[in-house]
Amino acid sequence: MTIQFLDGRLSVNRNDSSGTDGITDTPLLIGDIGLQTGAAALLGNEGDVRVALTGTVGIVVDGVVAELTFTIERNGTSAPGSGVLILTEAFNTGGVNTIGPVSISAGDFPPAADVLAGEIRYTLFVSATITEGNIALSGPVVFNGTAFAGTTTS
């Protein structure tokens, strides 16, 4: 089937680096997009949909040692753990004073039933396990998604 562009969306939580929202062990929703996928059925491509997800998240650590965890879910609500887990990315800050914006990339091959529902929701969360001190979501915080369907063979 022909390659078919379905949709592209972005979620901008913060477009500068002046934020001070604290990050704790309770996951914080920082990105939320809904990709329109119903058009895939028009060409019989509902079984060949793929989604590319990317994000940038600015964090201030100020020398704190913590384990940061980013998760992306499919078709959940604003509550963490309510959707299908697509990505978990965790890393230790190692006590550094600054972290450049963190880049997140994920891919998804949603099931045909989700594609035929017409829209697939993706949510991005961040949490931190901190032994001492505070970590802040400074920004920028952007979450993007693009959906395509079809294959390269006829």
Side-chain angles (χ1 to χ4, degrees):
M1 292 279 170
T2 305
I3 300 296
Q4 175 186 25
F5 171 79
L6 299 175
D7 198 11
R9 303 289 169 143
L10 66 104
S11 169
V12 179
N13 179 291
R14 173 169 291 286
N15 62 4
D16 60 26
S17 58
S18 62
T20 58
D21 299 328
I23 300 174
T24 66
D25 60 348
T26 300
L28 177 65
L29 177 65
I30 59 172
D32 190 349
I33 57 175
L35 292 172
Q36 302 297 313
T37 58
L42 297 176
L43 294 176
N45 283 336
E46 62 273 6
D48 292 318
V49 171
R50 58 212 172 271
V51 175
L53 302 161
T54 61
T56 300
V57 183
I59 306 284
V60 174
V61 294
D62 290 332
V64 173
V65 175
E67 180 88 4
L68 280 169
T69 303
F70 298 93
T71 57
I72 296 175
E73 296 181 6
R74 176 190 340 114
N75 283 339
T77 65
S78 298
S82 61
V84 176
L85 186 64
I86 301 302
L87 169 89
T88 297
E89 180 179 337
F91 67 93
N92 191 294
T93 63
V96 299
N97 288 324
T98 59
I99 296 176
V102 177
S103 293
I104 300 160
S105 295
D108 187 30
F109 297 93
D114 287 356
V115 171
L116 292 172
E119 180 180 86
I120 301 174
R121 182 178 183 185
Y122 290 94
T123 47
L124 170 62
F125 298 92
V126 63
S127 62
T129 304
I130 307 167
T131 55
E132 183 178 317
N134 297 304
I135 292 182
L137 182 68
S138 64
V141 180
V142 180
F143 182 46
N144 309 294
T146 309
F148 294 91
T151 63
T152 56
T153 59
S154 48

